[in-house]
Amino acid sequence: MPLYRMDDLMIAARKNGAALGAFECWDSLNVRGIAMAAARCNSAVIFQATPLEYNLMGGADALADIVKFYVNKYNIAAALHLDHGSTIEHVKECLASGFTSVMLDASVYEFDKNVALSREAAALAAECNASSEAELGHVGGGGDGGANSESVLTVPEEAAEFVRQTKVSTLAVAIGTVHGDYVGKPELRLDRLEKIAASVDVPLVLHGGSGTPKDLLQKAIKLGIAKINICTDINKAFLAAIDGAKGKLTPSVPGTFYIPAVEAVADKTAEMIKLFRCEI
Ligand code: 13P
């Protein structure tokens, strides 16, 4: 089964009133768990990794080969996406390895520099018939604080101009989520999301899905979010399963420790897929 463009899968999900989960990949075990979940839920899925994560696996080409192997083994519809690339080199190496979507994250820069870098990445992706993602506004980490401060939230009035100038195929928005654990109560600016969705015609992405209350995620999906990034929640499930296996399983057969971890990733991923289909 060939990999799909990420935007095509997102548009199809949205037609069904759903969003797709985009799950972080850091080794072959969690790629397998994500693929198992997608097969069990009969769902499309997005595999994604940052340069740090795919380099852990030996490079973008290593991740691409592993993902393609499990996509074929489990016969699932999937996209492979570069998450938070920070250089044009990241974009090029992922496209050369067969990724079907790339994000060059220039969201820390001011509007014009963000436009210039995102436009370059989007053009490279388009040459390879891949989709692209850029971020307007900035989704920080939970510890950074101020996820709802004016300085980081996406300005709805800028969104359409950003998409027009960059020609990106998907847009990540900052509406109050954070990467990693929240400090304090998560609050989403759904009013902003509604305005952004009304002004752009590309599907929207929400970073920092972990720990965000389910009802807020489902409201965001109804208002236009078509992809939700999940890392921390599946990583926590993986680590908790390994902790739980210690003392019960013998270290002289190390592989056994990881069997519950793969299942835990599959279970958590399946839960998210159902949540994003608004089934639970
Ligand atoms: P979480 O770790 O909060 O799920 O965020 C993941 C993410 O947005 C990756 O880009």
mmCIF file of all heavy atoms in Angstrom, residues 22 24 48 50 53 83-84 103 133 135 139 177-182 206-212 227-234, ligand 1:
data_model
loop_
_atom_site.group_PDB
_atom_site.id
_atom_site.type_symbol
_atom_site.label_atom_id
_atom_site.label_comp_id
_atom_site.label_asym_id
_atom_site.label_seq_id
_atom_site.Cartn_x
_atom_site.Cartn_y
_atom_site.Cartn_z
ATOM 1 N N ALA A 22 -2.124 12.117 14.575
ATOM 2 C CA ALA A 22 -0.754 12.047 14.041
ATOM 3 C C ALA A 22 0.128 11.665 15.219
ATOM 4 O O ALA A 22 0.249 12.428 16.182
ATOM 5 C CB ALA A 22 -0.336 13.383 13.468
ATOM 6 N N GLU A 24 3.550 10.292 17.193
ATOM 7 C CA GLU A 24 5.009 10.429 17.143
ATOM 8 C C GLU A 24 5.687 9.069 17.128
ATOM 9 O O GLU A 24 5.326 8.169 17.897
ATOM 10 C CB GLU A 24 5.443 11.203 18.396
ATOM 11 C CG GLU A 24 6.492 12.227 18.146
ATOM 12 C CD GLU A 24 5.987 13.418 17.338
ATOM 13 O OE1 GLU A 24 4.771 13.677 17.282
ATOM 14 O OE2 GLU A 24 6.841 14.084 16.731
ATOM 15 N N GLN A 48 4.424 10.318 12.332
ATOM 16 C CA GLN A 48 5.253 11.503 12.194
ATOM 17 C C GLN A 48 6.433 11.439 13.156
ATOM 18 O O GLN A 48 6.380 10.751 14.182
ATOM 19 C CB GLN A 48 4.444 12.783 12.424
ATOM 20 C CG GLN A 48 3.893 12.944 13.815
ATOM 21 C CD GLN A 48 3.124 14.260 13.980
ATOM 22 O OE1 GLN A 48 2.717 14.888 13.004
ATOM 23 N NE2 GLN A 48 2.941 14.695 15.201
ATOM 24 N N THR A 50 10.032 13.952 14.548
ATOM 25 C CA THR A 50 10.930 15.104 14.471
ATOM 26 C C THR A 50 12.307 14.580 14.036
ATOM 27 O O THR A 50 12.564 13.367 14.124
ATOM 28 C CB THR A 50 11.079 15.763 15.849
ATOM 29 O OG1 THR A 50 11.680 14.810 16.738
ATOM 30 C CG2 THR A 50 9.731 16.201 16.417
ATOM 31 N N GLU A 53 13.832 12.389 16.614
ATOM 32 C CA GLU A 53 13.217 11.052 16.718
ATOM 33 C C GLU A 53 13.658 10.143 15.571
ATOM 34 O O GLU A 53 14.042 8.990 15.799
ATOM 35 C CB GLU A 53 11.689 11.189 16.775
ATOM 36 C CG GLU A 53 11.222 11.792 18.087
ATOM 37 C CD GLU A 53 9.863 12.463 18.026
ATOM 38 O OE1 GLU A 53 9.321 12.673 16.915
ATOM 39 O OE2 GLU A 53 9.338 12.809 19.089
ATOM 40 N N ASP A 83 7.697 16.174 11.451
ATOM 41 C CA ASP A 83 7.132 17.064 12.475
ATOM 42 C C ASP A 83 8.244 17.995 12.983
ATOM 43 O O ASP A 83 9.332 17.521 13.342
ATOM 44 C CB ASP A 83 6.598 16.179 13.621
ATOM 45 C CG ASP A 83 5.815 16.953 14.651
ATOM 46 O OD1 ASP A 83 5.194 17.972 14.290
ATOM 47 O OD2 ASP A 83 5.807 16.527 15.831
ATOM 48 N N HIS A 84 7.979 19.277 13.013
ATOM 49 C CA HIS A 84 8.929 20.258 13.558
ATOM 50 C C HIS A 84 10.323 20.168 12.943
ATOM 51 O O HIS A 84 11.322 20.182 13.673
ATOM 52 C CB HIS A 84 9.046 20.122 15.084
ATOM 53 C CG HIS A 84 7.793 20.467 15.816
ATOM 54 N ND1 HIS A 84 7.276 21.738 15.864
ATOM 55 C CD2 HIS A 84 6.943 19.681 16.528
ATOM 56 C CE1 HIS A 84 6.153 21.728 16.575
ATOM 57 N NE2 HIS A 84 5.924 20.492 16.976
ATOM 58 N N MET A 103 6.782 19.422 7.641
ATOM 59 C CA MET A 103 6.581 20.691 8.357
ATOM 60 C C MET A 103 7.944 21.330 8.587
ATOM 61 O O MET A 103 8.816 20.707 9.195
ATOM 62 C CB MET A 103 5.936 20.453 9.721
ATOM 63 C CG MET A 103 5.849 21.722 10.553
ATOM 64 S SD MET A 103 5.492 21.410 12.283
ATOM 65 C CE MET A 103 4.794 22.990 12.747
ATOM 66 N N GLU A 133 3.005 21.459 5.996
ATOM 67 C CA GLU A 133 2.352 22.059 7.171
ATOM 68 C C GLU A 133 3.232 23.192 7.648
ATOM 69 O O GLU A 133 4.460 23.062 7.663
ATOM 70 C CB GLU A 133 2.213 20.984 8.270
ATOM 71 C CG GLU A 133 1.617 21.494 9.580
ATOM 72 C CD GLU A 133 1.570 20.395 10.659
ATOM 73 O OE1 GLU A 133 1.286 19.216 10.346
ATOM 74 O OE2 GLU A 133 1.847 20.742 11.825
ATOM 75 N N GLU A 135 3.225 26.507 10.790
ATOM 76 C CA GLU A 135 2.548 26.948 12.020
ATOM 77 C C GLU A 135 2.554 28.460 12.088
ATOM 78 O O GLU A 135 3.596 29.090 11.940
ATOM 79 C CB GLU A 135 3.269 26.353 13.240
ATOM 80 C CG GLU A 135 2.601 26.673 14.569
ATOM 81 C CD GLU A 135 3.194 25.829 15.698
ATOM 82 O OE1 GLU A 135 3.298 24.592 15.545
ATOM 83 O OE2 GLU A 135 3.581 26.412 16.730
ATOM 84 N N VAL A 139 2.923 27.245 19.295
ATOM 85 C CA VAL A 139 2.542 26.318 20.372
ATOM 86 C C VAL A 139 3.828 25.953 21.131
ATOM 87 O O VAL A 139 4.713 25.308 20.578
ATOM 88 C CB VAL A 139 1.890 25.037 19.799
ATOM 89 C CG1 VAL A 139 1.515 24.084 20.923
ATOM 90 C CG2 VAL A 139 0.669 25.393 18.950
ATOM 91 N N THR A 177 -3.276 25.157 23.234
ATOM 92 C CA THR A 177 -2.693 23.864 23.614
ATOM 93 C C THR A 177 -1.194 24.040 23.865
ATOM 94 O O THR A 177 -0.599 25.045 23.471
ATOM 95 C CB THR A 177 -2.891 22.801 22.516
ATOM 96 O OG1 THR A 177 -2.376 23.309 21.285
ATOM 97 C CG2 THR A 177 -4.355 22.427 22.358
ATOM 98 N N VAL A 178 -0.589 23.036 24.518
ATOM 99 C CA VAL A 178 0.860 23.051 24.756
ATOM 100 C C VAL A 178 1.435 21.677 24.414
ATOM 101 O O VAL A 178 0.728 20.675 24.464
ATOM 102 C CB VAL A 178 1.214 23.373 26.233
ATOM 103 C CG1 VAL A 178 0.728 24.748 26.623
ATOM 104 C CG2 VAL A 178 0.673 22.305 27.189
ATOM 105 N N HIS A 179 2.699 21.638 24.084
ATOM 106 C CA HIS A 179 3.388 20.355 23.918
ATOM 107 C C HIS A 179 3.718 19.819 25.316
ATOM 108 O O HIS A 179 4.247 20.548 26.147
ATOM 109 C CB HIS A 179 4.704 20.532 23.163
ATOM 110 C CG HIS A 179 4.530 20.896 21.715
ATOM 111 N ND1 HIS A 179 4.729 22.164 21.230
ATOM 112 C CD2 HIS A 179 4.178 20.137 20.647
ATOM 113 C CE1 HIS A 179 4.516 22.171 19.914
ATOM 114 N NE2 HIS A 179 4.171 20.956 19.535
ATOM 115 N N GLY A 180 3.398 18.557 25.567
ATOM 116 C CA GLY A 180 3.706 17.967 26.871
ATOM 117 C C GLY A 180 2.631 18.269 27.884
ATOM 118 O O GLY A 180 1.496 18.615 27.524
ATOM 119 N N ASP A 181 2.996 18.132 29.168
ATOM 120 C CA ASP A 181 2.007 18.302 30.230
ATOM 121 C C ASP A 181 1.616 19.772 30.405
ATOM 122 O O ASP A 181 2.464 20.665 30.308
ATOM 123 C CB ASP A 181 2.565 17.760 31.552
ATOM 124 C CG ASP A 181 2.671 16.239 31.508
ATOM 125 O OD1 ASP A 181 1.804 15.599 30.870
ATOM 126 O OD2 ASP A 181 3.623 15.698 32.090
ATOM 127 N N TYR A 182 0.324 19.979 30.686
ATOM 128 C CA TYR A 182 -0.165 21.336 30.981
ATOM 129 C C TYR A 182 0.242 21.724 32.393
ATOM 130 O O TYR A 182 0.244 20.896 33.300
ATOM 131 C CB TYR A 182 -1.694 21.391 30.892
ATOM 132 C CG TYR A 182 -2.223 21.395 29.479
ATOM 133 C CD1 TYR A 182 -2.462 20.200 28.805
ATOM 134 C CD2 TYR A 182 -2.485 22.595 28.824
ATOM 135 C CE1 TYR A 182 -2.945 20.205 27.498
ATOM 136 C CE2 TYR A 182 -2.973 22.608 27.518
ATOM 137 C CZ TYR A 182 -3.200 21.410 26.870
ATOM 138 O OH TYR A 182 -3.682 21.424 25.588
ATOM 139 N N LEU A 206 -3.813 20.676 15.019
ATOM 140 C CA LEU A 206 -3.668 21.065 16.422
ATOM 141 C C LEU A 206 -2.491 20.295 17.023
ATOM 142 O O LEU A 206 -2.517 19.069 17.112
ATOM 143 C CB LEU A 206 -4.954 20.726 17.188
ATOM 144 C CG LEU A 206 -5.073 21.291 18.598
ATOM 145 C CD1 LEU A 206 -5.083 22.823 18.579
ATOM 146 C CD2 LEU A 206 -6.325 20.774 19.289
ATOM 147 N N HIS A 207 -1.467 21.024 17.428
ATOM 148 C CA HIS A 207 -0.339 20.404 18.146
ATOM 149 C C HIS A 207 -0.696 20.324 19.623
ATOM 150 O O HIS A 207 -1.566 21.034 20.104
ATOM 151 C CB HIS A 207 0.927 21.255 17.977
ATOM 152 C CG HIS A 207 1.584 21.106 16.641
ATOM 153 N ND1 HIS A 207 2.862 20.643 16.483
ATOM 154 C CD2 HIS A 207 1.114 21.339 15.392
ATOM 155 C CE1 HIS A 207 3.168 20.601 15.198
ATOM 156 N NE2 HIS A 207 2.113 21.033 14.505
ATOM 157 N N GLY A 208 0.041 19.471 20.355
ATOM 158 C CA GLY A 208 -0.140 19.417 21.800
ATOM 159 C C GLY A 208 -1.455 18.783 22.213
ATOM 160 O O GLY A 208 -2.140 19.263 23.124
ATOM 161 N N GLY A 209 -1.806 17.660 21.571
ATOM 162 C CA GLY A 209 -3.088 17.013 21.888
ATOM 163 C C GLY A 209 -3.107 16.322 23.251
ATOM 164 O O GLY A 209 -4.158 16.259 23.902
ATOM 165 N N SER A 210 -1.954 15.836 23.709
ATOM 166 C CA SER A 210 -1.935 15.065 24.964
ATOM 167 C C SER A 210 -2.420 15.905 26.137
ATOM 168 O O SER A 210 -2.049 17.078 26.263
ATOM 169 C CB SER A 210 -0.512 14.586 25.268
ATOM 170 O OG SER A 210 -0.066 13.715 24.269
ATOM 171 N N GLY A 211 -3.229 15.277 26.971
ATOM 172 C CA GLY A 211 -3.674 15.947 28.200
ATOM 173 C C GLY A 211 -4.749 16.991 27.969
ATOM 174 O O GLY A 211 -5.223 17.622 28.912
ATOM 175 N N THR A 212 -5.157 17.196 26.725
ATOM 176 C CA THR A 212 -6.211 18.180 26.442
ATOM 177 C C THR A 212 -7.560 17.505 26.680
ATOM 178 O O THR A 212 -7.781 16.397 26.187
ATOM 179 C CB THR A 212 -6.122 18.669 24.976
ATOM 180 O OG1 THR A 212 -4.771 19.074 24.711
ATOM 181 C CG2 THR A 212 -7.055 19.831 24.714
ATOM 182 N N LYS A 227 -6.396 17.333 12.103
ATOM 183 C CA LYS A 227 -5.251 16.498 12.518
ATOM 184 C C LYS A 227 -4.869 16.910 13.930
ATOM 185 O O LYS A 227 -4.744 18.113 14.212
ATOM 186 C CB LYS A 227 -4.076 16.733 11.563
ATOM 187 C CG LYS A 227 -2.748 16.097 12.023
ATOM 188 C CD LYS A 227 -1.577 16.633 11.204
ATOM 189 C CE LYS A 227 -0.250 16.045 11.632
ATOM 190 N NZ LYS A 227 0.826 17.044 11.780
ATOM 191 N N ILE A 228 -4.701 15.926 14.804
ATOM 192 C CA ILE A 228 -4.293 16.229 16.183
ATOM 193 C C ILE A 228 -3.011 15.458 16.491
ATOM 194 O O ILE A 228 -2.955 14.235 16.324
ATOM 195 C CB ILE A 228 -5.416 15.864 17.177
ATOM 196 C CG1 ILE A 228 -6.676 16.674 16.856
ATOM 197 C CG2 ILE A 228 -4.951 16.115 18.614
ATOM 198 C CD1 ILE A 228 -7.870 16.404 17.757
ATOM 199 N N ASN A 229 -1.976 16.202 16.906
ATOM 200 C CA ASN A 229 -0.676 15.584 17.193
ATOM 201 C C ASN A 229 -0.649 15.011 18.604
ATOM 202 O O ASN A 229 -1.019 15.698 19.568
ATOM 203 C CB ASN A 229 0.431 16.638 17.096
ATOM 204 C CG ASN A 229 0.718 17.063 15.678
ATOM 205 O OD1 ASN A 229 0.024 16.670 14.746
ATOM 206 N ND2 ASN A 229 1.742 17.872 15.504
ATOM 207 N N ILE A 230 -0.179 13.771 18.692
ATOM 208 C CA ILE A 230 -0.080 13.107 19.995
ATOM 209 C C ILE A 230 1.312 12.508 20.159
ATOM 210 O O ILE A 230 1.736 11.675 19.351
ATOM 211 C CB ILE A 230 -1.127 11.969 20.117
ATOM 212 C CG1 ILE A 230 -2.555 12.516 20.036
ATOM 213 C CG2 ILE A 230 -0.910 11.178 21.410
ATOM 214 C CD1 ILE A 230 -3.017 13.328 21.235
ATOM 215 N N CYS A 231 1.999 12.924 21.202
ATOM 216 C CA CYS A 231 3.292 12.326 21.537
ATOM 217 C C CYS A 231 3.305 11.872 22.998
ATOM 218 O O CYS A 231 3.453 10.694 23.308
ATOM 219 C CB CYS A 231 4.424 13.328 21.283
ATOM 220 S SG CYS A 231 6.026 12.674 21.771
ATOM 221 N N THR A 232 3.157 12.821 23.913
ATOM 222 C CA THR A 232 3.342 12.539 25.347
ATOM 223 C C THR A 232 2.460 11.386 25.827
ATOM 224 O O THR A 232 2.929 10.508 26.570
ATOM 225 C CB THR A 232 3.023 13.818 26.162
ATOM 226 O OG1 THR A 232 3.820 14.880 25.641
ATOM 227 C CG2 THR A 232 3.326 13.634 27.632
ATOM 228 N N ASP A 233 1.213 11.362 25.431
ATOM 229 C CA ASP A 233 0.296 10.327 25.940
ATOM 230 C C ASP A 233 0.726 8.917 25.530
ATOM 231 O O ASP A 233 0.624 7.985 26.323
ATOM 232 C CB ASP A 233 -1.143 10.592 25.466
ATOM 233 C CG ASP A 233 -1.862 11.602 26.349
ATOM 234 O OD1 ASP A 233 -1.313 11.967 27.414
ATOM 235 O OD2 ASP A 233 -2.977 12.026 25.986
ATOM 236 N N ILE A 234 1.196 8.744 24.279
ATOM 237 C CA ILE A 234 1.603 7.375 23.901
ATOM 238 C C ILE A 234 2.960 7.033 24.505
ATOM 239 O O ILE A 234 3.209 5.889 24.859
ATOM 240 C CB ILE A 234 1.591 7.101 22.371
ATOM 241 C CG1 ILE A 234 2.370 8.120 21.583
ATOM 242 C CG2 ILE A 234 0.183 6.941 21.843
ATOM 243 C CD1 ILE A 234 2.627 7.663 20.120
HETATM 244 P P1 13P B 1 1.941 16.276 22.905
HETATM 245 O O1 13P B 1 3.252 15.699 23.372
HETATM 246 O O2 13P B 1 1.395 17.279 23.871
HETATM 247 O O3 13P B 1 0.970 15.218 22.541
HETATM 248 O O4 13P B 1 2.242 17.127 21.575
HETATM 249 C C1 13P B 1 2.708 16.454 20.442
HETATM 250 C C2 13P B 1 2.926 17.381 19.318
HETATM 251 O O5 13P B 1 2.249 18.363 19.153
HETATM 252 C C3 13P B 1 3.992 17.014 18.372
HETATM 253 O O6 13P B 1 4.154 17.969 17.372
#
